């Protein structure tokens, strides 16, 4: 049942994964009610059977429940998949509310033990600092993460939402296999602020929200609103009442190209991301098997020069920030 899969190497590590992985966050947190466990585990198993081998989670998704879910799903097939997780955002009792940043070596050492336990594994393939901690120099955090590599608890190190200068400082301590950042037809700022450093260091980009949190897949066209409990409706400016219609109009352009080619909008969005560079892998999120299948179909879609030209100006026209002011404040700028 394995689909056509293109493998890409993560940084200069020996880890090669399918260019299309799975972002698992939405199964447990942020995007409305969590998917029930049986359905979620079935989706994770189906994904692995179809050749998806890169599953992305984090300590703070849930918090904890997303890692626990992956642990349950993959304990009996751990060697078939690569698991990436993240630490550095303090977990508080209330779900979906970050409790501040902590990239201290102490937190790194204790967080990894919790993640290993929940993931039911003795190693994490790719371990990220989730957000830069302004009170801990990145060199100190990466120093602690490097010890986990030496101990065999972590395969490769990543950072999330950092820019080129931070990446270079970190890479002076230990090779950074990947930076995970938002990247899509709608979100392209890092082409200037991060891509040159990625190239210089041979670091991969793991592109999250490659579907614009669903907008580029046509999931939020007129009449389709994120539900009341959905974090996008509550805090993401691009989904606010003021901005959503302008962004829907931009998504219509993607949908139009998809219709002309007889493919899905999500395939256009993913094909675009993957053809922006060989150093990129994408981790679209989905809770549905039909959408997972559609997304894997992106391997077979190619974009013409005309398609690219039509998509190129959209990012500059997107209305609203990709995070609330609080979310923007914890991103490396
Ligand atoms: P994130 O990385 O934050 O998960 P994303 O990958 O850009 O964001 O988009 C995820 C969203 O796109 C989810 O809301 C997902 O909804 P489902 O769980 O209902 O699938 C939606 N999505 C993913 N693939 C899709 C597809 N092929 N068609 C429509 N919506 C899709």
């Amino acid at each position: 049942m394995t689909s056509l899969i293109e493998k890409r190497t993560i940084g200069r590590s020996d880890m090669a994964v399918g260019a299309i992985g799975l972002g698992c966050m939405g199964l447990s947190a942020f995007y409305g009610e969590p998917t029930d466990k049986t359905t979620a585990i079935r989706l994770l198993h189906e994904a692995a059977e179809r050749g998806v081998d890169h599953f992305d989670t984090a300590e703070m998704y849930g918090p904890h429940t997303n890692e626990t879910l992956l642990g349950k799903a993959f304990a009996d097939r751990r060697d078939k998949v690569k698991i990436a997780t993240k630490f550095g955002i303090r977990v508080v009792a209330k779900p979906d509310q970050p409790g501040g940043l902590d990239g201290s070596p102490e937190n790194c050492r204790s967080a990894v033990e919790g993640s290993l336990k929940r993931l039911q594994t003795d190693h994490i393939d790719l371990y990220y600092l989730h957000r830069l901690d302004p009170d801990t120099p990145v060199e100190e955090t990466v120093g602690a993460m490097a010890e986990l590599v030496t101990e065999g608890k972590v395969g490769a190190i990543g950072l999330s939402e950092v820019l080129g200068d931070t990446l270079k400082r970190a890479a002076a301590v230990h090779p950074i296999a990947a930076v995970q950042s938002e990247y899509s037809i709608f979100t392209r700022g890092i082409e200037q602020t991060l891509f040159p450093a990625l190239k210089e260091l041979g670091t991969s980009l793991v592109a999250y929200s490659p579907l614009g949190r669903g907008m580029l897949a046509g999931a939020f066209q007129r009449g389709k609103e994120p539900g009341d409990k959905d974090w996008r409706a509550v805090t993401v400016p691009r989904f606010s009442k003021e901005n959503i219609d302008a962004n829907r109009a931009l998504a219509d352009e993607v949908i139009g190209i998809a219709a002309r080619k007889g493919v899905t909008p999500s395939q256009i969005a993913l094909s675009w991301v993957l053809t922006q560079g060989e150093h990129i892998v994408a981790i679209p999120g989905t809770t549905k098997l039909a959408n997972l299948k559609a997304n894997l179909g992106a391997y077979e879609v190619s974009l013409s020069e005309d398609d690219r030209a039509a998509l190129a100006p959209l990012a500059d026209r997107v209305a609203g920030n990709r995070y609330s002011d609080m979310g923007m404040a914890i991103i490396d700028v």
Side-chain angles (χ1 to χ4, degrees):
M1 215 203 290
T2 308
S3 319
L4 174 74
I5 299 282
E6 181 193 334
K7 293 263 188 180
R8 294 187 176 182
T9 301
I10 299 295
R12 292 180 176 147
S13 74
D14 54 9
M15 172 174 159
V17 291
I20 300 175
L22 186 66
C24 300
M25 179 187 84
L27 289 167
S28 306
F30 291 101
Y31 293 170
E33 289 296 330
T35 302
D36 82 81
K37 285 194 186 63
T38 310
T39 309
I41 289 174
R42 200 179 307 132
L43 181 93
L44 293 167
H45 287 173
E46 279 279 350
E49 273 172 35
R50 284 166 192 278
V52 175
D53 59 358
H54 175 194
F55 293 84
D56 186 86
T57 181
E59 180 186 34
M60 66 87 66
Y61 298 162
H64 292 175
T65 51
N66 198 235
E67 286 187 333
T68 301
L69 175 72
L70 266 64
K72 280 209 176 81
F74 295 132
D76 66 349
R77 60 200 81 186
R78 181 66 185 88
D79 56 331
K80 303 267 187 304
V81 299
K82 304 289 183 197
I83 296 179
T85 191
K86 321 180 189 77
F87 81 100
I89 301 181
R90 278 192 208 103
V91 166
V92 289
K94 211 159 182 233
D96 295 0
Q97 277 190 15
L101 304 177
D102 190 350
S104 65
E106 299 72 39
N107 187 41
C108 174
R109 280 192 286 272
S110 69
V112 77
E113 297 305 330
S115 290
L116 287 168
K117 208 166 166 193
R118 287 185 291 277
L119 290 165
Q120 300 188 39
T121 185
D122 61 359
H123 70 285
I124 290 160
D125 298 289
L126 178 56
Y127 198 43
Y128 293 97
L129 176 65
H130 205 154
R131 289 288 186 275
L132 204 56
D133 171 2
D135 298 326
T136 308
V138 72
E139 291 86 346
E140 277 182 31
T141 310
V142 171
M145 295 170 87
E147 286 175 19
L148 303 180
V149 175
T150 309
E151 291 164 19
K153 292 178 178 167
V154 162
I157 296 179
L159 302 171
S160 183
E161 289 285 359
V162 301
L163 300 186
D165 289 347
T166 305
L167 172 60
K168 286 184 197 174
R169 281 173 49 205
V173 177
H174 189 276
I176 304 298
V179 173
Q180 181 172 143
S181 282
E182 183 167 352
Y183 186 61
S184 70
I185 291 168
F186 274 2
T187 303
R188 299 180 58 179
I190 56 172
E191 288 173 12
Q192 277 75 46
T193 53
L194 175 65
F195 277 27
L198 293 177
K199 193 165 180 201
E200 187 182 318
L201 298 165
T203 298
S204 291
L205 174 71
V206 175
Y208 77 81
S209 298
L211 305 174
R213 300 194 184 276
M215 188 80 80
L216 289 163
F220 295 106
Q221 290 314 97
R222 203 168 276 282
K224 296 187 206 163
E225 310 291 336
D228 290 348
K229 290 197 179 140
D230 192 312
W231 166 83
R232 288 169 288 202
V234 183
T235 52
V236 178
R238 289 181 178 181
F239 287 80
S240 72
K241 286 198 171 48
E242 299 74 48
N243 294 326
I244 195 166
D245 282 336
N247 295 328
R248 281 174 167 144
L250 299 178
D252 275 341
E253 309 220 9
V254 179
I255 293 166
I257 292 173
R260 282 196 290 284
K261 295 173 89 79
V263 304
T264 71
S266 70
Q267 291 168 350
I268 298 291
L270 292 173
S271 176
W272 182 89
V273 166
L274 295 183
T275 48
Q276 289 297 103
E278 280 292 313
H279 64 297
I280 304 174
V281 300
I283 47 166
T286 184
T287 57
K288 301 191 178 80
L289 183 57
N291 288 346
L292 175 86
K293 284 190 209 164
N295 298 348
L296 290 174
Y299 283 123
E300 285 151 83
V301 170
S302 56
L303 299 175
S304 68
E305 282 310 310
D306 284 353
D307 298 332
R308 293 186 166 285
L311 297 171
L314 299 188
D316 288 338
R317 291 164 48 200
V318 172
N321 276 336
R322 58 196 180 95
Y323 282 108
S324 65
D325 291 348
M326 194 183 91
M328 292 304 289
I330 57 170
I331 281 171
D332 188 18
V333 284

